[in-house]
Amino acid sequence: MLIHRRRFLQVGTLASASLMLPKFLKAMEKGELVPPGNKVLVVVQLSGGNDGLNTVIPYRNDIYYKMRPTLGIKREAALSLNDELGIHPALKSFKALYDDGSLGVLNSVGYPNPDRSHFRSMDIWQSASESKDYWNTGWLGRYLDAQCKGCDKPTQALEIDDTLSLALKGDAVKGLALTDPQRLFGASNDRYFKELLAKKKHDEEHQNVDYLYKTMAETISSAAYIQQQFKTYKSKERYPQTELGKNMKTIAELIMTDINTSVYYVSHGSFDTHVGQQNQQQRLFEQLSDSLQAFTTDLKKNNRFQDVLVMTFSEFGRRVGQNASGGTDHGTANNMFLIGGGLKQQGVLNEGPDLQDLKDGDLQYKVDFKNVYATLLKKWLGADDQAILKQQYEYLNFI
């Protein structure tokens, strides 16, 4: 790619040559790999129920330390956000993002009648249903249904994982799950699959078989398209050699290309810290912080930070009081982080958790997570949030 660029620069005075130059090389001349305005959402799922009270710490609240005599993060250890709240000491890059105005902290996020089951609560978050309803499509899957009917390549949403989450499953269109674009391309080009596809005959009596052939054809086509885009940019940033670090590098390398993907989804965990929470959360937060530091630095260096928004969530928080095993049990409301250069509101976006207003030892939610989704769908992705979420939710002002 650099050889082609040098050759072009040698004849760069010819205006006609510029018209023939590939789009990604034109962008590189301006210090950009992708033209500005190409919005991307990156969802980071903190699986297992992250303890929000030891993430965003109410370090001036006596109730917090009374309920967590050994588990509470000491005030002098917390990274200060304001006079009332600090952040876990392992989240150093989040503190730096907060200081430069590119991090928003949303407290007390949840939903009515919360469920403490990992599986059920995750379904509620991923489908964006009410707790009484059971939906078999996800909020981002329905976004794909709305945006991508008739798309030639169903790669508008990618999950960096071995399996596809409910969040990215629509009725007509589904996201694609992969861990390595090169491996996906290699597997999809296996001779067996190509021969099987070549022998396929239309059979109206067996629609399920037709659907499987259609899915296989789309996967082969998508794998080739992703691999073609993926090889156009290789990051020079140093990412940690953790699973999350590698996954964030893959996402960054795709974001820097002209791929049509608007949504990336990745998971990190498990944060199910019933026992020995301090060490486990510390380790996971260090991995999260280091990965996001490399990722955001990569975006900034390549002029993409303004057009990428990262959202973190967990299926529930933990109970306010610590348990007898040096951990915390399943709770309710939690915090969310919003990271990006395009935030209109930064810092702590609402009041911290109210530890005097507990229900059976649990925090009360103040913000419905579906308000966050509605805001992202409408204001960031430009979609019809009401149709996707099946009712109207009030927008927030962080974008």
Side-chain angles (χ1 to χ4, degrees):
M1 184 172 70
L2 292 176
I3 292 172
H4 290 302
R5 187 182 179 211
R6 290 191 192 105
R7 288 176 178 169
F8 169 72
L9 291 175
Q10 290 171 0
V11 293
T13 55
L14 298 177
S16 59
S18 177
L19 297 175
M20 300 172 64
L21 195 65
K23 184 163 38 175
F24 70 87
L25 285 181
K26 286 184 181 180
M28 282 184 67
E29 283 201 309
K30 298 183 290 184
E32 300 165 354
L33 291 161
V34 181
N38 188 14
K39 302 295 186 187
V40 173
L41 173 66
V42 179
V43 179
V44 180
Q45 174 181 298
L46 305 181
S47 303
N50 175 50
D51 178 24
L53 275 178
N54 274 21
T55 304
V56 180
I57 303 146
Y59 56 38
R60 290 176 62 91
N61 195 308
D62 293 338
I63 299 174
Y64 168 74
Y65 291 106
K66 181 179 179 181
M67 300 287 282
R68 298 183 171 207
T70 61
L71 198 59
I73 305 293
K74 292 181 171 57
R75 180 174 180 178
E76 58 269 24
L79 306 175
S80 177
L81 299 181
N82 58 28
D83 289 341
E84 300 292 330
L85 299 172
I87 198 169
H88 192 285
L91 294 172
K92 292 181 175 62
S93 71
F94 284 59
K95 166 63 172 168
L97 290 164
Y98 180 92
D99 290 342
D100 73 16
S102 50
L103 181 133
V105 181
L106 196 57
N107 294 294
S108 305
V109 186
Y111 57 91
N113 304 309
D115 196 298
R116 290 185 182 84
S117 160
H118 287 293
F119 303 105
R120 178 61 191 141
S121 190
M122 187 62 81
D123 278 354
I124 292 167
W125 274 85
Q126 291 191 351
S127 67
S129 70
E130 300 293 337
S131 57
K132 62 180 175 58
D133 298 325
Y134 290 79
W135 294 351
N136 60 6
T137 60
W139 70 288
L140 293 169
R142 296 193 299 277
Y143 161 76
L144 294 175
D145 282 339
Q147 300 295 110
C148 303
K149 287 184 178 177
C151 292
D152 60 336
K153 295 179 181 66
T155 52
Q156 285 78 9
L158 300 178
E159 181 164 6
I160 312 303
D161 205 338
D162 291 320
T163 56
L164 190 68
S165 299
L166 172 63
L168 280 76
K169 294 179 180 178
D171 275 323
V173 184
K174 293 176 174 57
L176 186 66
L178 66 142
T179 55
D180 184 333
Q182 304 283 16
R183 283 174 52 198
L184 177 67
F185 177 72
S188 69
N189 276 270
D190 186 280
R191 189 174 70 179
Y192 169 77
F193 292 117
K194 290 200 166 185
E195 289 178 353
L196 189 65
L197 193 62
K199 294 177 181 177
K200 181 254 179 182
K201 295 180 180 179
H202 180 65
D203 187 348
E204 293 183 356
E205 295 183 4
H206 298 90
Q207 293 184 354
N208 289 339
V209 175
D210 271 352
Y211 172 77
L212 290 174
Y213 274 113
K214 177 177 178 290
T215 301
M216 183 166 61
E218 288 179 346
T219 300
I220 291 172
S221 174
S222 297
Y225 173 63
I226 293 168
Q227 196 263 355
Q228 180 184 19
Q229 293 293 326
F230 186 65
K231 66 184 181 182
T232 64
Y233 172 79
K234 292 303 172 188
S235 175
K236 298 178 179 64
E237 200 61 35
R238 185 175 180 179
Y239 283 79
Q241 291 301 303
T242 59
E243 182 178 358
L244 182 63
K246 294 174 183 177
N247 290 342
M248 296 309 297
K249 183 179 182 182
T250 297
I251 293 173
E253 290 182 335
L254 288 168
I255 285 175
M256 305 307 179
T257 75
D258 202 30
I259 197 169
N260 67 348
T261 307
S262 296
V263 177
Y264 296 89
Y265 199 98
V266 67
S267 299
H268 180 51
S270 169
F271 286 87
D272 196 17
T273 52
H274 293 280
V275 179
Q277 175 174 303
Q278 285 182 331
N279 291 338
Q280 185 173 347
Q281 194 178 44
Q282 173 84 20
R283 175 178 55 81
L284 291 171
F285 276 170
E286 286 174 352
Q287 295 175 3
L288 178 66
S289 180
D290 292 347
S291 299
L292 266 293
Q293 181 177 29
F295 180 72
T296 54
T297 300
D298 213 350
L299 295 178
K300 290 175 181 179
K301 287 180 178 178
N302 289 284
N303 298 311
R304 292 293 281 131
F305 193 51
Q306 286 291 123
D307 290 327
V308 178
L309 182 59
V310 180
M311 180 200 84
T312 75
F313 84 96
S314 197
E315 68 264 35
F316 47 62
R318 317 295 290 190
R319 293 179 67 81
V320 175
Q322 68 180 64
N323 61 27
S325 302
T328 49
D329 298 322
H330 298 180
T332 53
N334 209 342
N335 39 56
M336 300 177 71
F337 291 115
L338 301 151
I339 299 169
L343 293 177
K344 292 183 178 178
Q345 289 184 337
Q346 309 87 19
V348 180
L349 303 177
N350 59 347
E351 292 184 357
D354 187 350
L355 300 187
Q356 293 183 315
D357 180 26
L358 304 181
K359 183 177 181 181
D360 299 326
D362 280 319
L363 297 170
Q364 299 294 291
Y365 89 98
K366 305 294 183 184
V367 178
D368 193 318
F369 72 88
K370 294 181 286 296
N371 294 103
V372 181
Y373 288 2
T375 304
L376 294 170
L377 288 167
K378 180 70 173 181
K379 294 186 178 183
W380 193 253
L381 296 175
D384 185 349
D385 60 289
Q386 187 170 352
I388 293 167
L389 298 177
K390 305 186 182 183
Q391 69 178 78
Q392 183 67 59
Y393 292 94
E394 184 178 351
Y395 303 131
L396 304 178
N397 296 318
F398 58 86
I399 50 175

